[in-house]
Amino acid sequence: QRRNWHMTNIGIPGFWPHVALYVGTPEEIEAYFSELDFQPVETIKALYPDAFQALEKADESGYPMRVIEAIRPGVVFQSLETSARCDYLGVLRPTLGKAEKFKALLGALSHFGKPYDLNFDFTTENALVCSELVYKAYRAGGRLPLYPEIINGRRLLPPNRLAEQAVSEMGEGGAFEFVLFLD
């Protein structure tokens, strides 16, 4: 995501300064993962009750929560309508199987409520930035070709670099597929 005239455009390198994960509503999660040998929503409720309770809510405008992202004040759920309210939006989908995607969903939910990492430090688990949430979620779900780098002495994966790595892995048999670009 890119929002023109946001301060993050100054401090975060590249065109894309933010990344988020679409998770869907509990009903969408249940429908999408229904072919797995367990009840996805019941699993989430049991493992991450606080995250599930937040996911069930609607935003101030009545839209359902569908996106998990790390913003200030931390890892939160937002409606797609709020999260995607930006000047540019690119959507990429990993080509993992449903079991791996569910593990990635659980990986993301495990970070719900953690604060935003103002130090941009990928080596810690107690606070996260947006691209770190995506990276760590999919690291939990299976191997995707996303590789943090050392930038200014810190290990991280800026959103723009994450997008570049994903685009380089698109195509026949690739790890990602293109879904949408909105300008």
Side-chain angles (χ1 to χ4, degrees):
Q1 302 169 354
R2 179 180 177 83
R3 291 170 179 83
N4 291 336
W5 311 110
H6 273 218
M7 292 299 290
T8 54
N9 297 341
I10 296 170
I12 299 175
F15 182 79
W16 300 106
H18 186 64
V19 63
L21 281 172
Y22 181 88
V23 297
T25 64
E27 296 79 19
E28 291 168 334
I29 291 169
E30 190 68 40
Y32 183 78
F33 294 109
S34 64
E35 67 193 45
L36 299 177
D37 293 336
F38 55 87
Q39 296 176 316
V41 170
E42 291 303 317
T43 301
I44 293 169
K45 279 185 197 178
L47 293 173
Y48 305 109
D50 292 341
F52 183 78
Q53 187 177 23
L55 183 60
E56 284 190 303
K57 295 181 180 179
D59 71 6
E60 312 82 47
S61 299
Y63 293 113
M65 300 300 182
R66 286 191 165 109
V67 174
I68 189 168
E69 57 190 324
I71 58 174
R72 288 190 200 152
V75 180
V76 298
F77 289 106
Q78 296 210 80
S79 66
L80 179 61
E81 291 77 6
T82 297
S83 180
R85 191 177 300 132
C86 55
D87 295 300
Y88 300 92
L89 177 69
V91 179
L92 302 172
R93 180 181 300 131
T95 58
L96 298 170
K98 288 189 180 184
E100 291 84 8
K101 287 180 182 178
F102 189 74
K103 288 177 189 173
L105 171 61
L106 294 179
L109 296 179
S110 74
H111 297 291
F112 174 75
K114 290 183 179 179
Y116 189 78
D117 188 354
L118 295 171
N119 290 321
F120 292 84
D121 186 356
F122 265 48
T123 62
T124 64
E125 292 290 326
N126 60 339
L128 290 92
V129 296
C130 63
S131 55
E132 183 179 12
L133 174 65
V134 172
Y135 170 75
K136 288 183 177 180
Y138 280 106
R139 186 179 67 189
R143 279 304 211 185
L144 279 180
L146 298 174
Y147 307 103
E149 303 168 352
I150 303 298
I151 301 173
N152 294 329
R154 294 184 188 267
R155 183 174 185 257
L156 51 91
L157 180 58
N160 199 75
R161 189 67 187 123
L162 187 149
E164 289 171 353
Q165 289 178 13
V167 167
S168 74
E169 291 290 334
M170 286 196 308
E172 187 77 28
F176 293 90
E177 60 186 8
F178 173 79
V179 177
L180 169 73
F181 176 75
L182 291 175
D183 175 354

